[in-house]
């Protein structure tokens, strides 16, 4: 996909929902631009939604440049346990590239750690709900399984 830029002959290239602010502004992009785009893909995979809602390609480009994305953990019950992952996605989607992860290894490590933390948190929340629905029966058995670091 491409759209004409401000100067004749300049063209914005990319899929607007997944473009980084620097791509949208026709500035030089580096690997941190890819981290921004990947964070959007992860956000969408986990929530079924994009972090920005817009009616046109130009509107979504403006969102990437100056808008505030939705926060993954605030989108509903299916995403509420993604507290740590939400923070990693937010950092990868910083407007300024120098505030994003410096390299793929750092991004990957943080993301893996976040999924591990959120998985444990989700298990604890599930057990708590099981306890409440059981009226407190079986507390001894369930409490042995619930360990949140």
């Amino acid at each position: 996909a491409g759209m004409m830029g401000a100067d004749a002959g300049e063209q914005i290239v990319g899929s607007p929902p997944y473009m980084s602010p620097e791509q949208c502004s026709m500035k030089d992009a580096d690997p941190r631009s890819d981290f921004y785009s990947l964070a959007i893909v992860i956000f969408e995979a986990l929530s079924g939604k994009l972090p920005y809602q817009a009616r046109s390609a130009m509107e979504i480009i403006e969102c990437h440049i100056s808008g505030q994305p939705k926060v993954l953990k605030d989108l509903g019950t299916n995403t509420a346990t993604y507290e740590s992952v939400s923070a990693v996605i937010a950092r990868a989607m910083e407007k300024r590239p120098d505030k994003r992860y410096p390299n793929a290894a750092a991004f990957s490590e943080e993301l893996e750690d976040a999924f591990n933390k959120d998985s444990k948190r989700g298990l604890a929340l599930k057990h708590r709900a099981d306890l409440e629905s059981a009226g407190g029966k079986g507390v001894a058995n369930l409490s042995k399984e619930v360990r949140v670091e």
Side-chain angles (χ1 to χ4, degrees), residues 4-115:
M4 294 306 290
D7 297 329
E10 289 184 337
Q11 195 169 16
I12 298 173
V13 179
S15 297
Y18 306 96
M19 291 170 59
S20 68
E22 52 275 20
Q23 286 176 293
C24 293
S25 301
M26 297 191 315
K27 295 179 181 169
D28 290 337
D30 64 19
R32 295 171 299 184
S33 179
D34 293 333
F35 305 156
Y36 182 97
S37 300
L38 179 57
I40 293 173
V41 171
I42 295 166
F43 184 104
E44 186 178 24
L46 295 174
S47 70
K49 301 175 183 177
L50 290 168
Y52 299 106
Q53 295 302 310
R55 293 180 295 261
S56 69
M58 285 308 296
E59 197 174 298
I60 200 148
I61 285 171
E62 284 300 318
C63 288
H64 287 301
I65 293 170
S66 60
Q68 278 301 115
K70 293 177 185 170
V71 178
L72 177 66
K73 69 181 179 86
D74 296 341
L75 291 180
T77 56
N78 291 338
T79 60
T81 59
Y82 291 122
E83 191 171 312
S84 300
V85 171
S86 188
V88 172
I89 289 172
R91 180 174 175 194
M93 287 185 63
E94 284 284 348
K95 299 295 182 201
R96 291 182 31 199
D98 63 327
K99 291 191 168 214
R100 297 182 203 142
Y101 292 94
N103 55 55
F107 183 25
S108 174
E109 254 179 58
E110 288 277 328
L111 190 59
E112 184 176 3
D113 289 347
F115 272 115

Side-chain angles (χ1 to χ4, degrees), residues 120-146:
K120 290 174 185 173
R121 182 179 297 111
L123 181 61
L125 292 173
K126 180 188 178 317
H127 285 306
R128 183 178 301 145
D130 289 346
L131 282 173
E132 290 170 1
S133 67
K137 297 176 186 169
V139 173
N141 291 337
L142 287 174
S143 65
K144 289 179 189 172
E145 297 176 52
V146 180

